[in-house]
Every structure is written in C-alpha cells, then in structure tokens.
Amino acid sequence: MFHRDIRQCSDLNPANRLCQIGRPRRLRPVPTRHATTRGRLAVCVGVFAALGACSGPVDEPGTAETASDGTVTVTVLMKDMRFEPSVIEVEPGTHVIIEAKNADSMPHDLVFENDLATELLPRDKSAVLDLGVVDESLDGWCSVSGHRAAGMTLTIEVTDA
Ligand SMILES: [Cu+2]
C-alpha cells in the first residue's frame, strides 16, 4: 500500500505529470517592462480589441500609449512585408503619432494619403511620424515598388464618436 502511494506521487506517474502541466504557471515580474505591458493592455482593451493583438508574445508590436492630453502614440513594426498592426482604430479628433520601426531585412517607409511620410528606413531604424489630429480615416502604405500591392498597408480607422 505504501509503495503504491509513492508511485502515485511520483513524476513517473503519467496522470500526475498531466496535472502538473495543467497547473497555471506563476508569472515572473519584469519591472523594466511594466510600462510596455500596461500599454499593451490598453491596446487590447481599447484600441485593438477586435484585432486579436493580445495573443502574441511580449515583444509583439501594437503598443499604444495615451498621453494626458489624449495624444495616442502607436508602435508599428515593419516586418515580413507587413505593418503590424495594419489597422489602428481611433476616435475622431485624436492626435495620432506613429512610431514606425523596421524589423525587416529590407528597407521600408510609411506614407499616408495626406502626404505625410517617413524617410526610407533601413533595417532596425525607426521614425516618428506625427499625423496631427485625425478626423477622417487615413490610408497609409509602403512606397517601395510592389510593397503596397503585396499588402504593406496601414489604415488609421476613425470610429464613430
Ligand atoms: Cu516596404
């Protein structure tokens, strides 16, 4: 009887191992990333809830910070011939600043239909693009030949007030 109890508690018991795998893991606090984590949560709850932006690991793009004056700064990654996120939803009258970072192996830029644009960014370079107060939806894209057609677009979508 005693022998049997030992085996049931051991890691060799498949049922016991399954149980351990199913147990929730404790999250390690990472103090230097708190601001980033909060930003991601804000994005998930407010701006990109419909886009599933929360599902990726911590270093995924899409962080958004809302300043006390309502200015929204969104981090956009250029990666795999895509902007991530590719749609940014804001309320009308929002002051939007895009922080674009090229994480791709080739150069990209970001231009909008109102002619605001970043310079051509080589790998690992980033640029800040102040779109000002946005009242209407804006289409943006990468102007490198063929990239827009390949799907490298970024839309600022103004939601109904
Ligand atoms: Cu491009």
Side-chain angles (χ1 to χ4, degrees):
M1 191 60 176
F2 176 75
H3 181 64
R4 213 174 134 215
D5 284 346
I6 290 286
R7 278 183 53 209
Q8 278 176 348
C9 294
S10 127
D11 283 344
L12 296 174
N13 183 321
N16 196 31
R17 286 171 67 187
L18 278 178
C19 206
Q20 284 186 340
I21 290 166
R23 220 177 276 160
R25 283 186 195 163
R26 217 159 58 91
L27 291 174
R28 264 192 312 161
V30 187
T32 55
R33 300 205 77 129
H34 273 180
T36 303
T37 305
R38 256 204 310 274
R40 283 182 60 74
L41 287 178
V43 168
C44 296
V45 172
V47 185
F48 301 128
L51 302 176
C54 296
S55 55
V58 175
D59 57 351
E60 286 281 301
T63 54
E65 281 178 20
T66 304
S68 54
D69 65 355
T71 300
V72 173
T73 302
V74 185
T75 303
V76 173
L77 267 197
M78 298 144 154
K79 194 180 173 189
D80 300 329
M81 289 284 268
R82 291 284 185 279
F83 291 109
E84 296 181 28
S86 59
V87 179
I88 297 169
E89 290 186 7
V90 297
E91 292 178 0
T94 304
H95 184 179
V96 179
I97 296 174
I98 304 291
E99 200 177 308
K101 180 173 184 185
N102 187 359
D104 216 346
S105 53
M106 68 190 87
H108 297 291
D109 64 8
L110 172 59
V111 307
F112 281 94
E113 57 183 319
N114 60 6
D115 292 334
L116 289 172
T118 70
E119 59 194 285
L120 188 64
L121 298 170
R123 181 178 192 165
D124 291 332
K125 290 290 182 216
S126 53
V128 174
L129 187 60
D130 190 339
L131 295 178
V133 174
V134 176
D135 289 314
E136 292 181 338
S137 294
L138 269 180
D139 284 333
W141 57 89
C142 175
S143 72
V144 176
S145 179
H147 288 200
R148 184 183 188 179
M152 201 163 181
T153 61
L154 171 62
T155 303
I156 311 295
E157 204 165 284
V158 174
T159 59
D160 292 333

